[in-house]
Structures are given as structure tokens and as C-alpha cells.
Amino acid sequence: MSVWIQAQQLQGEALHQMQSLYGQHFPIEVRHYLSQWIEAQLWDSVDLENPQEEFKAKRMLDSLIQELQKKVEHQVGEDGFLLKIKLGHYATQLKVSRNELLTKAPSPLVRCIKHILYTEQRLVREATNASSPGGGMLDSMSQKYQQLNQAFEELRLLTQDTDNDLRKLQHSQEYFIIQYQESLHIQAQLGNLSALPPSDRVLREPALLSKRATMEAWLTREANTLQKYRLDLAEKHQKTLQLLRKQQTTILDDELIQWKRRQQLAGNGGPPEGALDVLQSWCEKLAELICQNRQQIRRAEHLRQQLPIPGPVEELLTELNNTITDIISALVTSTFIIEKHPPQVLKTQTKFAATVRLLVGGKLNVHMNPPQVKATIISEQQAKALLKNENTRNESSGEILNNSSVMEYHQTTGTLSAHFRNMSLKRIKRSDRRGAESVTEEKFTVLFESQFSVGGNELVFQVKTLSLPVVVIVHGSQDNNATATVLWDNAFAEPGRVPFAIPDKVMWPQLCDALNMKYKAEVQSNRGLSEENLVFLAQKAFSSASTSPEDYRSMTMSWSQFNRESLPGRNFTFWQWFDGVIELMKKHLKLHWNDGAILGFVNKQQAQDMLMSKPNGTFLLRFSDSEIGGITIAWVAENPNKAGERMVWNLMPYTTKDFSIRSLADRISDLNHLLFLYPDRPKDEVFSKYYTPPHSKAVDGYVKPQIRQVVPEFATANPDPSSGNPTYMDHAASPSVMLQNHTCKRQNDSMLDGDGEFDLEDTMDVARHVEELLRRPIENQWSGQHLWPPAGPSPPASLQI
């Protein structure tokens, strides 16, 4: 069932909220008649913070107007006449709005539509949960929302009750003042009796004295009543403020902190932190209730000043004033947040963006005098001093260009935010480093600060917020280690920490969660790291041979083991090796990983044990142990030097550079001795959909060369055991092969390196040179040589490697 159909079934306040979403900016009739089309569009694919997405926004709005115009054309008959005129007017109106709004980037109209759809979904979801039978049917999130909504309803009723009491108090006090004035008038009359003749004074004085006594008794009694009313009202306000503080603590210290934590984990590839619309609605409700109660307390204070009555109320009102000011200050300062953080690995002289938002800005009318926000980069030590309220003398650790922005209010969504779209870090000032710490372990943060007033300068707020830790680099070669610092910080930072304290050691399962999250996000795959993969990584990280996951659950890994100390016998760290795998996979092999074609996390011995039980020609793909970002093919075949003996061969690892020349699928296709992907899948069944189609015929006298891969030891025959006759292949230069067999070592091969592997660099350089030669016109390449007839089409040329 579509969201719009369910939205039309809303009732009461939910229906009112849904209807209030629409207006001249986006008519409800457009939503109704284009409901299916609107819900089918990928509105979330438009990044509203990216100015380069303006074209995509314009295209979607153009499509919306076209759909509306189609709907206009299909209206026929008497009933459709008025609707045709109305929808036509809306189409024209939207076209004008689009032209006006698209002078800005991003489009507010797309933002409006996204906000409408999100709010409708929320209202429908809340209504569905509320109507489901039994509280046990609600999930924990719905129960939490329900509790918060119940607390808001209780606060609303309490605030309404104190408002009624305040009006009664005001009426009683006004009547009391009138009666008090009357008592003063009686007293004046008694004072004037002395000027009257004794006979008249005797006649009038007893009545006035009686009236004065009655009035004084009433005033005394009423003064006590007023004092009790004031005390009762102050106590009710105390209760309301206690509940307000409790509700605010739940929202700011639980929900908002959890949102920020999800935002931090999203930097490691975790799920999206979620929209801020729900949080903003809660914060706005808090702001509204706080302002109402603050106004009531101020009115009560004004009444007390009008009619001072000795008692404890004065102290209570002072305490209430201080409390409500603290509550609203905490709300405002906590809801000044970073909606979109700067990149956590920040390269100097490179443009970057960020967005800050005040969740209660619209409710407090801050936009009436739009505040300016300034961004400054500061060091970890400066951030610590800032949180301790120590005087930092506005120091910074660098210079950011375009670091000021004005907060803008978006009427359609009710959001107040400042967008920094073209910031650039011009320079950075580093602190003195100690010990083994490198520049890629030094953390900075971007400080956003602003100042604004509420209630006609009655309350002035200075707000500040810090970005997630930032590692500043000056060259792309530092990206790998900087990413390690960011990943460790994002994964293991504790809420409310001192900037930017992190544990030096973590439990291995915790690190596995972080690595798996990062891997899935970077490779863009639902296929994460299996338990076997994680055991392989543990063996590598701890130089262990154990294959039991239980042996690693209680082990810890330090930051030094993660990305300071090189792995045994290697010149790279654990993280550098793992990050190399990620880079290789996301750039070239993610489709094969998703297909399950790459085992990857398998060492040489495991590969040999797995393949030796399979038929000749069976192969698997595993990540290289000796090279960062390398993947190799291991296969089982006959030993050409010893009949009847089988062994496992390992091809020299491929890297990103190799796959930029020829894809993995095409390389596997070239190698006819590879028949079955482990355990028993025919290779064409797995890889054929990725093979490069054959080249077309020559055009304008040119032919395109081809690169093919050949392994010399297997270039003469196809080792398919089912084939009676060998299939011969052309001999040419080829990637090297490493033979994995302890009884037959290739000692005399001068091309092998110390690890028994070949170096492909010289071979690939020759390939690139020949390929470039073959791109030239043949008549120019071979001028002066009579190898080909001087006339007629150029012959095909191919290079086999």
C-alpha cells in the first residue's frame, strides 16, 4: 500500500500535521494526483549539500512538471474541466518556482518534497504502531517514541494547568488590589471624619469602622490565599521543570548522543545515522514548552512585584528563573550540531564542505536576525582547553579559506542551517610530536562557533561545536595511515571523552567488527568478512597458526600492532596490508567478491591443501601475503618435469596497476589451463559475463592491438584431463609462476626473487611499449621495410603476453 493511501487514513493531530505540510510551495493536489510517480522517484539520491547535484535536482523537477502536464492533458469531460484548469495552474506555478529556486543550490523544492515524504512516512509509522494490538507488538524504537510522546503530552497538560492557575491567580490578585484600594478609601473616609461636626461623625464612624474591620479581615484572609496560590503555582512549576529536564536529558543525552555516535560510525562505513527531522521535532517541542513555562514564571514574578507579600515565594521564583534559564541554555547549545562533517582525512589545498544546523532555530525565531557561523581548525590540545573553558585567545592551528557562512532558514522544512561549500585548508601548524607518533596520528578538529540572541536580546547565546577528529595530510601517500587513525578513533571513541582520548588496546572481536564494517562499506557489498576470513586475519595479526576462532576472542590488539609495527618479515603493517586489499577490491574486484568468486583470505599452505584434493585445472583466488594490494591465482596441475606428480602453482600477484591494463576475468579467460573455480564451478560459468567482447574490424586503416596473458609452463598444452589431445598456444612473454612444491624447487631460474616469485615490471613495460607501437599507423611504423604489401588493408596485429 502506498504511503499516500495510508496518509489519507490518518486522524486527529496526525492528520492535521500531514495537511500542514502542504501549501502554495507544494500543493496537496499535486501530491494526490501524482502520488505513485512521486513515491517511485529516488529523491534521496540527490545530495542537497552538493552544489554539483543542482543538475540532477533540476532534471527531477522537470520530470515532475512534465508528469503534471500529462495529467492535465488526460482530464476530459465536465468533471475534468475545473481539475484541468487547477492542475494546469499548479504546473505553471511549479515551473515558475523551479526557475526561481534553481538560481540557488541546492534546490529548496527538492528539499521540501523529501521533507514531506519523510514526515508522511513517520506519521504513518507512528499511527500504525499506536493502533497495533498489545504493547509487546511494538519494537523497542516504537516503544521509546511512545514513551517520549507520552511525556510530551504530560508536559503539555501540566503547562496548560499552570497557565490556568496563573490566570486565576491574576484575577484573584486584581480583585484583591481593587479591594485593597477600597480599604484605603475607607481609611481615608475615617481620616476625614475629624473635619465633620461631632453629630455627623457619631453617625458615620461606627459604620466605617465596621466596614474597615470586615475589609481588613477579608484582605488578611485573601492575602494568605494569594500566598498559597503562589506557592502552589511555584511547586507545580518545579514539577514541570523537573519533567522538562528529564525529557530533555533523554533527548539530548540519549537520542542526540546516539545519533552523533551513529554519525561517527558512519565514517567507518556503518549504517546512515538517520535523518534529523524526528530529533528536531522533539527539540522544538521542548523549546516550545520551555518558552511557555519561562513566560509563565516571568508573569508570576511580575505579579509578585505588583503585590509584594512576604514569604518564600520570592526565593522560589528566583530559583525557577535560574533553572529554566539553565534548561533553555542547555537545549540551545546542545542542538547546535554538525549535520555534515568535514572529511576526516583532510588534504591541504583541497576544497571541502560542511553543514551546521540549529535544531531549535526556527522555533526560537533565530533567523529573524540571521547569525554568522565561523569555522576554525584547532589542535587536540586546544580542543581540550576549550572544553575546560580555558582561555585559548582565539588561537587556531591553521588557516581555512571561505570559513564564514550565514545561517539560512528554509521555510518549507523549518530548518536553520549554514552551508560551507568551498572551504579549503591553506596551511596547518603542527605541534611537536613525541615518541613514535607520526603526522598521520596527529588529530585536529574544526571548531564551528556563532552567537545569537533570543527574545529581543534578552538571552544571548554563544554556541560552539567540534567536528569529528581530522587528520591533515599534504600528499596522497599519507592517506593510508591517516585512514587508520580515523578508523581507530571512530570505532573505539567513548561518548563524552576528553578530546581525543582512545584506548591503546582493544579486544580482537571489537576490531573485527570495525574491519568488517569498513570492508563492506568500501567494497559496497553485503558480503562481509566471514568467521574464516577473520581467523585468517587473526593469524596474520598475531603471527599465530591456530584455526580456532575461540582462541582469539579474549586477545587484544594494540594500536602499535595495528599500524605502527611491521608484520614479521614484511615492511608493512597489518592495516596497510588490509587497506591494500580494500583498495584492490573496491577499484577492480568487488563484482567478483559479490559473486563469491574470490576466497581471498587464504594462505599458501591452505590453498595447497584445498586444491590438492581437486582435479587438475582447479584454481582459486587469494590475496598475496607478500605484497600490499596483491591477489594471486593458485591452481593444481601436473608437474611438467616429473610425470605423475601433481603440485600447486601460484601466479605472481596482480595489483591495481595490472588490472588497469587487463581485467581479472580476461586474464583468467586467457589461461586455458584454468578450468574450474574452487571447488568445482566451470570458470566460464563464473567469469564469462565479465569477458571483454572481441574487437571490431579495423577502421580507417587502423587496428587495435590486444594483450593476452600466457604462462610459459602451461602455454603448450591444455591440462584438461578429459581432453585426449593437447591444445597448443602461442609462446610469448608471460606473467611469472611460482611453483609451490617442497620436493621440486626451481633453483636455476634467474627470474625468481628471494620469495620465489617473479617480477612483472619489466614484462609489463615491454607490453606497454609494444602496445603503443601497434597503435601507430602501420605504414609509419614499418616505413622503409617491405614486410607487407604496399597496398590493401592493414593486417591484424596482436600482442600475446
Side-chain angles (χ1 to χ4, degrees):
M1 185 183 298
S2 72
V3 175
W4 181 240
I5 292 177
Q6 297 177 77
Q8 294 176 73
Q9 299 172 5
L10 294 172
Q11 297 178 356
E13 178 62 23
L15 179 61
H16 175 72
Q17 289 184 41
M18 186 271 287
Q19 292 171 340
S20 66
L21 296 170
Y22 298 94
Q24 291 184 350
H25 54 279
F26 192 72
I28 196 170
E29 290 86 350
V30 176
R31 174 70 173 99
H32 180 74
Y33 288 103
L34 297 184
S35 60
Q36 292 184 350
W37 184 88
I38 288 173
E39 292 181 32
Q41 305 311 301
L42 300 177
W43 299 101
D44 286 336
S45 67
V46 182
D47 184 359
L48 297 176
E49 313 307 333
N50 186 354
Q52 298 177 355
E53 296 277 271
E54 180 181 352
F55 176 75
K56 186 186 291 186
K58 181 179 182 299
R59 189 173 62 229
M60 295 187 74
L61 294 179
D62 285 342
S63 299
L64 173 66
I65 294 169
Q66 289 173 8
E67 288 296 318
L68 191 56
Q69 289 172 336
K70 288 180 186 177
K71 184 67 68 174
V72 171
E73 294 169 0
H74 287 96
Q75 300 304 317
V76 295
E78 183 178 348
D79 293 338
F81 177 72
L82 290 177
L83 184 58
K84 185 173 185 177
I85 294 176
K86 202 169 191 179
L87 294 180
H89 170 71
Y90 291 147
T92 304
Q93 181 179 317
L94 285 175
K95 190 178 295 185
V96 172
S97 298
R98 179 209 61 184
N99 294 336
E100 292 177 351
L101 294 173
L102 285 178
T103 59
K104 304 176 183 179
S107 168
L109 196 50
V110 172
R111 186 187 295 273
C112 168
I113 295 172
K114 291 179 67 173
H115 172 71
I116 286 173
L117 293 175
Y118 177 84
T119 305
E120 284 180 353
Q121 291 171 358
R122 177 175 62 82
L123 291 171
V124 167
R125 184 172 60 250
E126 290 176 354
T128 302
N129 289 337
S131 61
S132 60
M137 299 291 288
L138 300 175
D139 57 24
S140 59
M141 187 63 70
S142 298
Q143 290 179 3
K144 187 183 297 182
Y145 287 0
Q146 190 177 46
Q147 291 170 0
L148 286 169
N149 288 334
Q150 287 174 350
F152 274 123
E153 179 63 16
E154 184 179 358
L155 282 166
R156 187 188 67 80
L157 293 174
L158 284 173
T159 303
Q160 188 177 22
D161 185 38
T162 50
D163 188 62
N164 293 333
D165 288 352
L166 188 61
R167 278 199 294 268
K168 292 177 182 177
L169 175 61
Q170 183 175 352
H171 293 157
S172 298
Q173 181 167 312
E174 289 172 351
Y175 185 69
F176 179 89
I177 292 173
I178 292 172
Q179 296 302 310
Y180 180 72
Q181 294 295 329
E182 180 64 21
S183 73
L184 293 178
H185 179 66
I186 294 172
Q187 186 63 34
Q189 287 178 321
L190 284 170
N192 293 332
L193 289 179
S194 59
L196 295 177
S199 58
D200 291 342
R201 187 169 55 208
V202 170
L203 288 174
R204 300 185 60 181
E205 187 175 35
L208 288 173
L209 288 173
S210 175
K211 191 173 182 180
R212 185 181 69 175
T214 302
M215 182 64 70
E216 287 179 349
W218 184 90
L219 288 174
T220 302
R221 186 174 65 253
E222 193 63 20
N224 290 329
T225 303
L226 285 176
Q227 184 73 315
K228 185 176 184 305
Y229 282 171
R230 290 178 178 182
L231 284 171
D232 289 345
L233 181 61
E235 289 173 355
K236 285 186 176 181
H237 274 130
Q238 281 184 321
K239 180 181 178 182
T240 302
L241 295 192
Q242 287 175 355
L243 287 176
L244 264 176
R245 193 187 287 277
K246 180 180 178 182
Q247 182 81 333
Q248 181 164 293
T249 300
T250 300
I251 292 171
L252 299 184
D253 293 355
D254 294 343
E255 298 300 318
L256 185 56
I257 293 297
Q258 288 178 22
W259 181 87
K260 289 182 177 181
R261 179 58 182 153
R262 292 194 299 270
Q263 188 182 44
Q264 189 173 23
L265 289 175
N268 278 3
E273 62 270 25
L276 280 167
D277 291 357
V278 173
L279 269 172
Q280 176 164 317
S281 68
W282 289 339
C283 292
E284 287 180 338
K285 287 180 181 179
L286 279 173
E288 187 173 6
L289 289 164
I290 290 169
C291 289
Q292 288 174 0
N293 280 274
R294 184 170 181 271
Q295 190 63 31
Q296 289 180 17
I297 293 169
R298 287 169 60 84
R299 285 162 57 194
E301 174 65 22
H302 180 67
L303 291 175
R304 189 199 65 79
Q305 291 173 353
Q306 278 186 331
L307 183 62
I309 300 176
V313 173
E314 183 175 357
E315 292 183 3
L316 281 174
L317 287 175
T318 301
E319 181 184 338
L320 290 172
N321 258 314
N322 293 336
T323 302
I324 199 75
T325 301
D326 289 344
I327 291 175
I328 194 170
S329 296
L331 178 65
V332 172
T333 54
S334 297
T335 55
F336 182 67
I337 64 170
I338 303 175
E339 184 174 5
K340 179 181 179 182
H341 282 264
Q344 288 187 263
V345 177
L346 186 58
K347 188 178 179 183
T348 56
Q349 311 296 332
T350 303
K351 188 173 75 170
F352 66 96
T355 301
V356 295
R357 181 166 163 181
L358 183 62
L359 297 181
V360 294
K363 188 61 66 175
L364 298 180
N365 294 320
V366 175
H367 56 282
M368 302 304 290
N369 185 19
Q372 188 178 67
V373 184
K374 181 182 177 183
T376 311
I377 190 164
I378 62 176
S379 68
E380 182 174 338
Q381 291 302 321
Q382 290 168 335
K384 289 178 182 177
L386 184 71
L387 292 185
K388 292 178 182 177
N389 292 321
E390 296 178 0
N391 184 14
T392 59
R393 301 188 302 278
N394 296 320
E395 293 179 356
S396 69
S397 292
E399 181 181 353
I400 299 178
L401 303 179
N402 303 317
N403 67 331
S404 294
S405 180
V406 175
M407 299 199 86
E408 298 179 357
Y409 183 68
H410 304 276
Q411 184 92 29
T412 53
T413 59
T415 59
L416 183 72
S417 54
H419 301 275
F420 297 81
R421 297 189 176 92
N422 296 292
M423 288 193 290
S424 176
L425 182 58
K426 183 178 180 181
R427 63 178 180 83
I428 192 68
K429 181 172 65 177
R430 300 189 183 275
S431 60
D432 294 333
R433 291 176 299 281
R434 300 177 181 178
E437 187 181 79
S438 67
V439 295
T440 56
E441 294 181 30
E442 186 178 7
K443 300 172 193 173
F444 298 87
T445 181
V446 179
L447 166 67
F448 295 92
E449 51 188 339
S450 182
Q451 178 176 308
F452 53 86
S453 59
V454 175
N457 296 325
E458 183 184 350
L459 291 176
V460 178
F461 295 99
Q462 289 186 341
V463 292
K464 300 179 181 181
T465 186
L466 297 174
S467 75
L468 294 172
V470 169
V471 177
V472 178
I473 64 174
V474 297
H475 192 274
S477 61
Q478 298 172 311
D479 184 80
N480 174 285
N481 292 324
T483 301
T485 300
V486 168
L487 180 140
W488 191 278
D489 192 280
N490 287 345
F492 309 121
E494 294 291 337
R497 63 172 173 174
V498 175
F500 291 105
I502 48 170
D504 183 63
K505 290 184 178 182
V506 296
M507 300 299 295
W508 172 250
Q510 287 181 283
L511 183 59
C512 287
D513 291 340
L515 295 176
N516 187 40
M517 183 184 295
K518 184 71 172 177
Y519 186 86
K520 289 172 66 176
E522 294 291 334
V523 182
Q524 297 177 355
S525 172
N526 290 325
R527 181 191 169 201
L529 301 176
S530 66
E531 190 170 81
E532 291 78 10
N533 299 155
L534 296 174
V535 167
F536 171 88
L537 292 175
Q539 292 173 331
K540 180 176 289 293
F542 300 113
S543 300
S544 170
S546 173
T547 58
S548 172
E550 296 298 328
D551 291 343
Y552 302 106
R553 297 197 191 283
S554 59
M555 296 184 72
T556 60
M557 190 170 192
S558 68
W559 166 251
S560 293
Q561 289 174 294
F562 183 68
N563 197 44
R564 274 188 186 167
E565 302 167 359
S566 295
L567 292 171
R570 307 298 180 193
N571 61 352
F572 48 79
T573 66
F574 172 83
W575 163 254
Q576 289 168 346
W577 181 89
F578 184 77
D579 187 57
V581 168
I582 290 178
E583 287 297 308
L584 178 70
M585 296 300 292
K586 74 178 183 180
K587 289 181 178 178
H588 298 286
L589 305 180
K590 61 184 175 184
L591 295 177
H592 300 303
W593 174 264
N594 289 334
D595 289 345
I598 297 176
L599 289 178
F601 301 96
V602 177
N603 62 40
K604 288 182 182 179
Q605 186 59 50
Q606 289 173 323
Q608 175 164 318
D609 294 342
M610 295 164 69
L611 291 171
M612 287 300 289
S613 62
K614 299 298 178 182
N616 287 346
T618 303
F619 67 99
L620 58 80
L621 296 155
R622 67 174 187 84
F623 300 128
S624 170
D625 286 316
S626 59
E627 185 165 357
I628 294 178
I631 190 169
T632 185
I633 301 175
W635 73 94
V636 62
E638 296 290 338
N639 183 353
N641 300 320
K642 190 172 183 180
E645 183 178 276
R646 295 187 342 132
M647 59 190 62
V648 171
W649 302 70
N650 287 274
L651 201 61
M652 178 185 149
Y654 299 122
T655 63
T656 294
K657 180 171 59 177
D658 301 317
F659 292 132
S660 65
I661 299 172
R662 188 156 177 78
S663 72
L664 174 66
D666 288 340
R667 291 174 184 271
I668 290 175
S669 175
D670 293 341
L671 302 178
N672 289 341
H673 62 277
L674 302 181
L675 303 177
F676 306 104
L677 178 67
Y678 183 88
D680 55 8
R681 299 167 68 186
K683 74 172 183 181
D684 288 341
E685 176 186 300
V686 180
F687 296 100
S688 60
K689 58 185 175 182
Y690 303 114
Y691 294 162
T692 301
H695 295 308
S696 59
K697 295 182 179 180
V699 179
D700 296 332
Y702 293 94
V703 291
K704 188 172 183 179
Q706 295 181 352
I707 296 178
R708 291 189 182 277
Q709 179 173 252
V710 179
V711 178
E713 289 81 354
F714 295 86
T716 56
N718 186 340
D720 184 355
S722 63
S723 175
N725 299 314
T727 302
Y728 292 93
M729 299 163 51
D730 293 335
H731 289 269
S734 74
S736 304
V737 178
M738 184 183 70
L739 174 63
Q740 181 171 324
N741 187 294
H742 298 291
T743 61
C744 180
K745 297 184 179 179
R746 299 163 51 90
Q747 301 287 352
N748 298 325
D749 195 334
S750 60
M751 297 293 291
L752 291 173
D753 60 17
D755 291 332
E757 298 184 354
F758 283 82
D759 188 354
L760 191 56
E761 292 296 327
D762 295 336
T763 305
M764 299 314 299
D765 288 342
V766 173
R768 294 189 192 96
H769 179 64
V770 176
E771 182 180 11
E772 185 174 341
L773 287 175
L774 291 173
R775 289 197 185 100
R776 302 174 186 172
I778 289 179
E779 59 268 23
N780 293 337
Q781 288 186 49
W782 307 103
S783 59
Q785 302 183 29
H786 302 287
L787 297 178
W788 303 106
S794 301
S798 67
L799 173 65
Q800 293 184 326
I801 295 179

